[in-house]
C-alpha cells in the first residue's frame, strides 16, 4: 500500500495518523504539485494505491484504512456531520491560502470574502462544540489537524477560540499526532 502526500498537508496528516493507529504496512511517497497532477485525477494529495485499488480523497482513504481493521468509519451521524463541517472550514482556509499565494487579492473579491466568513462562522461553532467536549475520533482528529496546520501557517487568529487551542493541546498527548507533525525547518 502506498500513500501519496506532503508532510505539511492536514488532510494527509489525518491519513498518516490512521495508518499509524492501525499499524498498517504503508509506504509514504512524498508528492509535489506536479506529481499529484500526474498521479491523481483530482490533482491533489492525499491519494492511495493498494494493489488495483486507487482512492482520491482523504475521506475514502480513511474509510478504507478503518475498515481494514474492522472499524466503522464515522459510526454516528453527529460525528460524520462534525467531520464534514471541519472539512468545509479547512477546505475554505486552504483555498484562501492557495489563492493568496497565487496572487489573488482575497480581501477584495466577494467570493473569497464569503469563504473567509464561512471559516470564521465555522470556527465559532466548532469552538462551542469543543468547549462541550470532543472525542479522539475522525472528527476530533481532523479538527486537531486543521487547528495545528492553521497555526503552523499562521493563517488564523485563535484568540477568540480558546476551546480550539485547548483541543490542539490535548491532541499533543497522542503519539500519532506528535509523530506526524509538520516539519519545523
Ligand atoms: N477533499 C480533499 C482535499 C485535499 C486537498 O485540498 N489537498 C491539498 C493539499 S493540503 C492539495 O493537494 N491541493 C492542490 C490543489 O488544490 O491544486 C481531501 O480530503 O483529500
Amino acid at each position: 500500500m502506498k500513500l501519496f502526500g506532503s508532510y505539511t498537508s492536514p488532510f494527509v496528516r489525518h491519513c498518516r495518523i490512521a495508518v499509524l493507529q492501525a499499524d498498517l504496512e504503508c509506504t509514504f511517497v512524498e508528492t509535489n504539485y506536479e506529481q499529484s497532477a500526474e498521479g491523481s485525477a483530482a490533482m491533489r494529495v492525499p491519494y492511495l494505491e493498494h494493489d488495483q485499488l486507487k482512492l482520491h480523497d482523504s475521506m475514502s482513504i480513511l474509510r478504507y484504512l478503518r475498515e481494514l481493521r474492522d472499524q466503522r468509519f464515522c459510526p454516528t451521524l453527529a460525528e460524520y456531520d462534525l467531520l464534514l463541517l471541519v472539512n468545509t472550514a479547512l477546505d475554505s482556509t486552504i483555498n484562501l491560502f492557495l489563492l493568496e499565494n497565487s496572487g489573488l487579492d482575497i480581501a477584495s473579491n466577494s467570493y473569497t470574502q464569503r469563504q473567509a466568513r464561512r471559516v470564521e462562522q465555522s470556527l465559532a461553532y466548532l469552538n462551542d462544540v469543543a468547549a462541550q467536549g470532543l472525542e479522539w475520533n475522525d472528527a476530533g482528529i481532523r479538527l486537531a489537524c486543521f487547528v495545528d496546520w492553521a497555526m503552523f501557517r499562521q493563517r488564523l487568529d485563535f484568540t477568540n477560540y480558546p476551546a480550539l487551542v485547548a483541543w490542539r493541546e490535548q491532541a499533543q498527548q497522542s503519539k500519532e499526532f506528535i509523530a506526524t507533525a509538520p516539519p519545523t525547518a
Side-chain angles (χ1 to χ4, degrees):
M1 182 158 57
K2 285 184 186 168
L3 174 66
F4 298 80
S6 70
Y7 284 107
T8 49
S9 164
F11 303 98
V12 175
R13 182 180 190 181
H14 190 169
C15 296
R16 291 168 61 218
I17 288 172
V19 166
L20 292 174
Q21 286 178 325
D23 198 18
L24 289 163
E25 244 180 71
C26 179
T27 305
F28 182 70
V29 183
E30 202 171 356
T31 305
N32 62 25
Y33 272 19
E34 288 71 36
Q35 291 160 332
S36 65
E38 293 278 315
S40 166
M43 299 173 66
R44 299 196 290 201
V45 290
Y47 56 96
L48 181 134
E49 291 174 1
H50 193 190
D51 300 327
Q52 301 314 307
L53 178 72
K54 181 146 188 172
L55 299 174
H56 303 87
D57 195 282
S58 64
M59 293 294 190
S60 52
I61 295 170
L62 286 166
R63 176 172 162 174
Y64 181 62
L65 296 174
R66 297 298 184 210
E67 289 179 357
L68 281 178
R69 285 289 179 258
D70 291 328
Q71 292 163 0
R72 240 184 101 195
F73 173 65
C74 279
T76 67
L77 186 60
E79 184 193 347
Y80 187 49
D81 187 61
L82 187 61
L83 174 63
L84 293 178
L85 179 63
V86 175
N87 215 40
T88 298
L90 176 54
D91 259 333
S92 289
T93 309
I94 291 198
N95 281 342
L96 288 170
F97 172 68
L98 296 176
L99 287 168
E100 195 169 39
N101 282 354
S102 75
L104 187 84
D105 179 7
I106 58 169
S108 63
N109 175 286
S110 63
Y111 188 63
T112 49
Q113 286 167 358
R114 182 181 167 87
Q115 299 254 39
R117 283 201 308 278
R118 187 198 322 282
V119 173
E120 285 305 324
Q121 284 192 198
S122 300
L123 287 179
Y125 180 88
L126 293 168
N127 187 69
D128 288 348
V129 173
Q132 287 161 38
L134 286 166
E135 287 176 44
W136 194 240
N137 53 22
D138 281 307
I141 294 171
R142 179 65 56 116
L143 181 57
C145 291
F146 173 26
V147 175
D148 201 51
W149 177 85
M151 288 185 173
F152 167 71
R153 292 287 191 203
Q154 302 182 319
R155 287 303 297 181
L156 299 172
D157 178 4
F158 286 96
T159 311
N160 295 326
Y161 309 120
L164 295 183
V165 176
W167 180 242
R168 175 186 176 249
E169 274 161 24
Q170 208 174 312
Q172 311 282 0
Q173 287 166 20
S174 152
K175 60 181 190 309
E176 292 87 7
F177 190 74
I178 292 170
T180 56
T184 44

